Coordinates of all heavy atoms in Angstrom, one line a residue:
E247 N 115.6 116.7 100.3 CA 116.3 117.4 101.4 C 116.8 116.3 102.4 O 116.1 115.4 102.8 CB 115.4 118.4 102.1 CG 116.1 119.1 103.2 CD 115.3 120.3 103.7 OE1 114.4 120.8 103.0 OE2 115.6 120.7 104.9
T248 N 118.0 116.5 102.8 CA 118.7 115.8 103.9 C 119.8 116.7 104.4 O 120.3 117.5 103.7 CB 119.2 114.4 103.4 OG1 119.5 113.6 104.5 CG2 120.4 114.6 102.5
P249 N 120.2 116.5 105.7 CA 121.3 117.3 106.2 C 122.6 117.2 105.3 O 123.0 116.1 104.9 CB 121.6 116.8 107.6 CG 120.2 116.3 108.0 CD 119.6 115.7 106.8
A250 N 123.2 118.3 104.9 CA 124.3 118.3 104.0 C 125.5 117.5 104.6 O 125.8 117.8 105.8 CB 124.7 119.8 103.7
P251 N 126.0 116.6 103.9 CA 127.2 115.8 104.4 C 128.5 116.6 104.4 O 128.8 117.3 103.4 CB 127.2 114.6 103.4 CG 126.7 115.2 102.1 CD 125.7 116.2 102.5
I252 N 129.2 116.5 105.5 CA 130.4 117.2 105.6 C 131.6 116.2 105.4 O 132.6 116.5 104.7 CB 130.6 117.9 107.0 CG1 129.5 119.0 107.1 CG2 132.0 118.5 107.2 CD1 129.4 119.7 108.4
A253 N 131.5 115.1 106.1 CA 132.6 114.1 106.0 C 132.2 112.8 106.6 O 131.2 112.7 107.2 CB 133.8 114.7 106.7
Y254 N 133.1 111.8 106.4 CA 133.0 110.6 107.1 C 134.4 110.1 107.5 O 135.4 110.4 106.8 CB 132.2 109.5 106.4 CG 132.9 108.9 105.2 CD1 133.8 107.8 105.3 CD2 132.7 109.4 103.9 CE1 134.4 107.2 104.2 CE2 133.3 108.8 102.8 CZ 134.1 107.7 102.9 OH 134.7 107.1 101.8
I255 N 134.5 109.4 108.6 CA 135.7 108.9 109.1 C 135.6 107.4 109.4 O 134.6 106.9 109.9 CB 136.1 109.6 110.5 CG1 136.2 111.1 110.2 CG2 137.4 109.1 111.1 CD1 136.3 111.9 111.5
I256 N 136.7 106.7 109.0 CA 136.7 105.2 109.3 C 138.0 105.0 110.1 O 139.1 105.2 109.6 CB 136.7 104.4 108.0 CG1 135.4 104.7 107.2 CG2 136.9 102.9 108.4 CD1 135.4 104.0 105.9
E257 N 137.8 104.6 111.4 CA 139.0 104.1 112.2 C 139.2 102.6 112.0 O 138.2 101.9 111.8 CB 138.7 104.5 113.6 CG 138.7 105.9 114.0 CD 138.6 106.2 115.5 OE1 137.7 105.6 116.1 OE2 139.5 106.9 116.0
T258 N 140.4 102.2 112.0 CA 140.7 100.8 111.9 C 141.4 100.3 113.2 O 142.1 101.1 113.9 CB 141.5 100.4 110.7 OG1 142.7 101.2 110.7 CG2 140.7 100.8 109.4
R259 N 141.3 99.0 113.4 CA 142.0 98.4 114.5 C 142.4 97.0 114.1 O 141.5 96.2 113.6 CB 141.1 98.3 115.7 CG 141.8 97.8 117.0 CD 140.8 97.6 118.1 NE 139.9 98.8 118.3 CZ 138.7 98.8 118.8 NH1 138.1 97.6 119.2 NH2 138.0 99.9 119.0
G260 N 143.7 96.6 114.1 CA 144.1 95.3 113.6 C 143.8 95.1 112.2 O 143.6 94.0 111.7

Side-chain angles (χ1 to χ4, degrees):
E247 182 169 341
T248 191
I252 294 173
Y254 70 88
I255 300 172
I256 299 175
E257 291 186 306
T258 57
R259 188 187 307 155

